[in-house]
PDB file of all heavy atoms in Angstrom:
ATOM      1  N   ASP A  66      -0.293  19.971 -15.202  1.00  0.00           N
ATOM      2  CA  ASP A  66       0.357  18.814 -14.581  1.00  0.00           C
ATOM      3  C   ASP A  66      -0.042  18.709 -13.112  1.00  0.00           C
ATOM      4  O   ASP A  66      -0.344  17.612 -12.617  1.00  0.00           O
ATOM      5  CB  ASP A  66       1.877  18.931 -14.716  1.00  0.00           C
ATOM      6  CG  ASP A  66       2.597  17.735 -14.121  1.00  0.00           C
ATOM      7  OD1 ASP A  66       2.389  16.611 -14.620  1.00  0.00           O
ATOM      8  OD2 ASP A  66       3.356  17.920 -13.143  1.00  0.00           O
ATOM      9  N   GLN A  67      -0.062  19.836 -12.405  1.00  0.00           N
ATOM     10  CA  GLN A  67      -0.459  19.829 -10.997  1.00  0.00           C
ATOM     11  C   GLN A  67      -1.921  19.417 -10.839  1.00  0.00           C
ATOM     12  O   GLN A  67      -2.262  18.643  -9.942  1.00  0.00           O
ATOM     13  CB  GLN A  67      -0.234  21.208 -10.378  1.00  0.00           C
ATOM     14  CG  GLN A  67       1.219  21.579 -10.202  1.00  0.00           C
ATOM     15  CD  GLN A  67       1.383  22.927  -9.522  1.00  0.00           C
ATOM     16  OE1 GLN A  67       0.418  23.654  -9.275  1.00  0.00           O
ATOM     17  NE2 GLN A  67       2.622  23.280  -9.216  1.00  0.00           N
ATOM     18  N   LEU A  68      -2.782  19.917 -11.699  1.00  0.00           N
ATOM     19  CA  LEU A  68      -4.197  19.579 -11.617  1.00  0.00           C
ATOM     20  C   LEU A  68      -4.418  18.084 -11.870  1.00  0.00           C
ATOM     21  O   LEU A  68      -5.247  17.446 -11.209  1.00  0.00           O
ATOM     22  CB  LEU A  68      -4.999  20.403 -12.619  1.00  0.00           C
ATOM     23  CG  LEU A  68      -5.061  21.914 -12.369  1.00  0.00           C
ATOM     24  CD1 LEU A  68      -5.833  22.603 -13.484  1.00  0.00           C
ATOM     25  CD2 LEU A  68      -5.683  22.234 -11.017  1.00  0.00           C
ATOM     26  N   GLU A  69      -3.670  17.525 -12.824  1.00  0.00           N
ATOM     27  CA  GLU A  69      -3.828  16.103 -13.119  1.00  0.00           C
ATOM     28  C   GLU A  69      -3.381  15.248 -11.937  1.00  0.00           C
ATOM     29  O   GLU A  69      -3.997  14.224 -11.624  1.00  0.00           O
ATOM     30  CB  GLU A  69      -3.038  15.727 -14.371  1.00  0.00           C
ATOM     31  CG  GLU A  69      -3.255  14.288 -14.804  1.00  0.00           C
ATOM     32  CD  GLU A  69      -2.646  13.975 -16.142  1.00  0.00           C
ATOM     33  OE1 GLU A  69      -1.909  14.829 -16.685  1.00  0.00           O
ATOM     34  OE2 GLU A  69      -2.886  12.866 -16.656  1.00  0.00           O
ATOM     35  N   GLN A  70      -2.292  15.666 -11.278  1.00  0.00           N
ATOM     36  CA  GLN A  70      -1.844  14.922 -10.096  1.00  0.00           C
ATOM     37  C   GLN A  70      -2.866  15.024  -8.967  1.00  0.00           C
ATOM     38  O   GLN A  70      -3.224  14.019  -8.335  1.00  0.00           O
ATOM     39  CB  GLN A  70      -0.496  15.463  -9.620  1.00  0.00           C
ATOM     40  CG  GLN A  70       0.652  15.212 -10.574  1.00  0.00           C
ATOM     41  CD  GLN A  70       1.945  15.772 -10.035  1.00  0.00           C
ATOM     42  OE1 GLN A  70       2.399  15.396  -8.947  1.00  0.00           O
ATOM     43  NE2 GLN A  70       2.549  16.698 -10.759  1.00  0.00           N
ATOM     44  N   ALA A  71      -3.343  16.247  -8.702  1.00  0.00           N
ATOM     45  CA  ALA A  71      -4.303  16.448  -7.619  1.00  0.00           C
ATOM     46  C   ALA A  71      -5.632  15.768  -7.913  1.00  0.00           C
ATOM     47  O   ALA A  71      -6.379  15.434  -6.984  1.00  0.00           O
ATOM     48  CB  ALA A  71      -4.512  17.942  -7.383  1.00  0.00           C
ATOM     49  N   ALA A  72      -5.955  15.549  -9.185  1.00  0.00           N
ATOM     50  CA  ALA A  72      -7.217  14.905  -9.551  1.00  0.00           C
ATOM     51  C   ALA A  72      -7.269  13.457  -9.084  1.00  0.00           C
ATOM     52  O   ALA A  72      -8.358  12.872  -8.998  1.00  0.00           O
ATOM     53  CB  ALA A  72      -7.415  14.966 -11.070  1.00  0.00           C
ATOM     54  N   ARG A  73      -6.130  12.853  -8.766  1.00  0.00           N
ATOM     55  CA  ARG A  73      -6.120  11.476  -8.288  1.00  0.00           C
ATOM     56  C   ARG A  73      -6.488  11.374  -6.810  1.00  0.00           C
ATOM     57  O   ARG A  73      -6.650  10.277  -6.279  1.00  0.00           O
ATOM     58  CB  ARG A  73      -4.730  10.858  -8.520  1.00  0.00           C
ATOM     59  CG  ARG A  73      -4.312  10.867  -9.984  1.00  0.00           C
ATOM     60  CD  ARG A  73      -2.996  10.148 -10.214  1.00  0.00           C
ATOM     61  NE  ARG A  73      -2.603  10.280 -11.613  1.00  0.00           N
ATOM     62  CZ  ARG A  73      -1.548  10.964 -12.025  1.00  0.00           C
ATOM     63  NH1 ARG A  73      -0.757  11.562 -11.140  1.00  0.00           N
ATOM     64  NH2 ARG A  73      -1.262  11.045 -13.304  1.00  0.00           N
ATOM     65  N   TYR A  74      -6.631  12.522  -6.155  1.00  0.00           N
ATOM     66  CA  TYR A  74      -6.969  12.559  -4.731  1.00  0.00           C
ATOM     67  C   TYR A  74      -8.458  12.286  -4.537  1.00  0.00           C
ATOM     68  O   TYR A  74      -9.300  12.932  -5.165  1.00  0.00           O
ATOM     69  CB  TYR A  74      -6.606  13.929  -4.152  1.00  0.00           C
ATOM     70  CG  TYR A  74      -6.942  14.113  -2.693  1.00  0.00           C
ATOM     71  CD1 TYR A  74      -6.032  13.765  -1.704  1.00  0.00           C
ATOM     72  CD2 TYR A  74      -8.164  14.653  -2.302  1.00  0.00           C
ATOM     73  CE1 TYR A  74      -6.318  13.949  -0.365  1.00  0.00           C
ATOM     74  CE2 TYR A  74      -8.468  14.838  -0.963  1.00  0.00           C
ATOM     75  CZ  TYR A  74      -7.549  14.483  -0.005  1.00  0.00           C
ATOM     76  OH  TYR A  74      -7.846  14.667   1.321  1.00  0.00           O
ATOM     77  N   ARG A  75      -8.784  11.332  -3.677  1.00  0.00           N
ATOM     78  CA  ARG A  75     -10.180  11.043  -3.365  1.00  0.00           C
ATOM     79  C   ARG A  75     -10.574  11.827  -2.121  1.00  0.00           C
ATOM     80  O   ARG A  75     -10.017  11.618  -1.047  1.00  0.00           O
ATOM     81  CB  ARG A  75     -10.390   9.552  -3.099  1.00  0.00           C
ATOM     82  CG  ARG A  75     -10.093   8.646  -4.277  1.00  0.00           C
ATOM     83  CD  ARG A  75     -10.209   7.189  -3.850  1.00  0.00           C
ATOM     84  NE  ARG A  75      -9.777   6.268  -4.898  1.00  0.00           N
ATOM     85  CZ  ARG A  75      -9.499   4.993  -4.681  1.00  0.00           C
ATOM     86  NH1 ARG A  75      -9.623   4.486  -3.459  1.00  0.00           N
ATOM     87  NH2 ARG A  75      -9.117   4.216  -5.682  1.00  0.00           N
ATOM     88  N   GLY A  76     -11.515  12.735  -2.264  1.00  0.00           N
ATOM     89  CA  GLY A  76     -11.942  13.531  -1.134  1.00  0.00           C
ATOM     90  C   GLY A  76     -13.045  14.481  -1.529  1.00  0.00           C
ATOM     91  O   GLY A  76     -13.445  14.567  -2.695  1.00  0.00           O
ATOM     92  N   ALA A  77     -13.539  15.230  -0.541  1.00  0.00           N
ATOM     93  CA  ALA A  77     -14.613  16.185  -0.784  1.00  0.00           C
ATOM     94  C   ALA A  77     -14.146  17.286  -1.727  1.00  0.00           C
ATOM     95  O   ALA A  77     -12.967  17.656  -1.725  1.00  0.00           O
ATOM     96  CB  ALA A  77     -15.083  16.779   0.540  1.00  0.00           C
ATOM     97  N   GLN A  78     -15.072  17.788  -2.521  1.00  0.00           N
ATOM     98  CA  GLN A  78     -14.771  18.867  -3.467  1.00  0.00           C
ATOM     99  C   GLN A  78     -13.596  18.497  -4.372  1.00  0.00           C
ATOM    100  O   GLN A  78     -12.764  19.345  -4.727  1.00  0.00           O
ATOM    101  CB  GLN A  78     -14.473  20.167  -2.719  1.00  0.00           C
ATOM    102  CG  GLN A  78     -15.612  20.661  -1.862  1.00  0.00           C
ATOM    103  CD  GLN A  78     -16.829  21.051  -2.693  1.00  0.00           C
ATOM    104  OE1 GLN A  78     -16.725  21.835  -3.622  1.00  0.00           O
ATOM    105  NE2 GLN A  78     -17.983  20.481  -2.367  1.00  0.00           N
ATOM    106  N   ARG A  79     -13.548  17.259  -4.772  1.00  0.00           N
ATOM    107  CA  ARG A  79     -12.418  16.749  -5.561  1.00  0.00           C
ATOM    108  C   ARG A  79     -12.217  17.540  -6.849  1.00  0.00           C
ATOM    109  O   ARG A  79     -11.086  17.914  -7.190  1.00  0.00           O
ATOM    110  CB  ARG A  79     -12.649  15.273  -5.859  1.00  0.00           C
ATOM    111  CG  ARG A  79     -11.595  14.620  -6.736  1.00  0.00           C
ATOM    112  CD  ARG A  79     -11.884  13.138  -6.873  1.00  0.00           C
ATOM    113  NE  ARG A  79     -10.897  12.452  -7.695  1.00  0.00           N
ATOM    114  CZ  ARG A  79     -10.892  11.126  -7.896  1.00  0.00           C
ATOM    115  NH1 ARG A  79     -11.820  10.375  -7.332  1.00  0.00           N
ATOM    116  NH2 ARG A  79      -9.974  10.572  -8.665  1.00  0.00           N
ATOM    117  N   TRP A  80     -13.301  17.806  -7.580  1.00  0.00           N
ATOM    118  CA  TRP A  80     -13.208  18.454  -8.879  1.00  0.00           C
ATOM    119  C   TRP A  80     -13.505  19.944  -8.794  1.00  0.00           C
ATOM    120  O   TRP A  80     -12.976  20.724  -9.592  1.00  0.00           O
ATOM    121  CB  TRP A  80     -14.150  17.781  -9.872  1.00  0.00           C
ATOM    122  CG  TRP A  80     -13.859  16.321  -9.990  1.00  0.00           C
ATOM    123  CD1 TRP A  80     -14.521  15.284  -9.417  1.00  0.00           C
ATOM    124  CD2 TRP A  80     -12.755  15.722 -10.706  1.00  0.00           C
ATOM    125  NE1 TRP A  80     -13.919  14.086  -9.722  1.00  0.00           N
ATOM    126  CE2 TRP A  80     -12.844  14.324 -10.529  1.00  0.00           C
ATOM    127  CE3 TRP A  80     -11.722  16.242 -11.497  1.00  0.00           C
ATOM    128  CZ2 TRP A  80     -11.939  13.435 -11.096  1.00  0.00           C
ATOM    129  CZ3 TRP A  80     -10.820  15.356 -12.068  1.00  0.00           C
ATOM    130  CH2 TRP A  80     -10.928  13.979 -11.863  1.00  0.00           C
TER     131      TRP A  80
END
Side-chain angles (χ1 to χ4, degrees):
D66 182 62
Q67 290 183 354
L68 294 177
E69 185 171 8
Q70 293 180 59
R73 301 185 184 113
Y74 178 89
R75 297 175 187 164
Q78 300 295 307
R79 177 176 181 176
W80 303 101

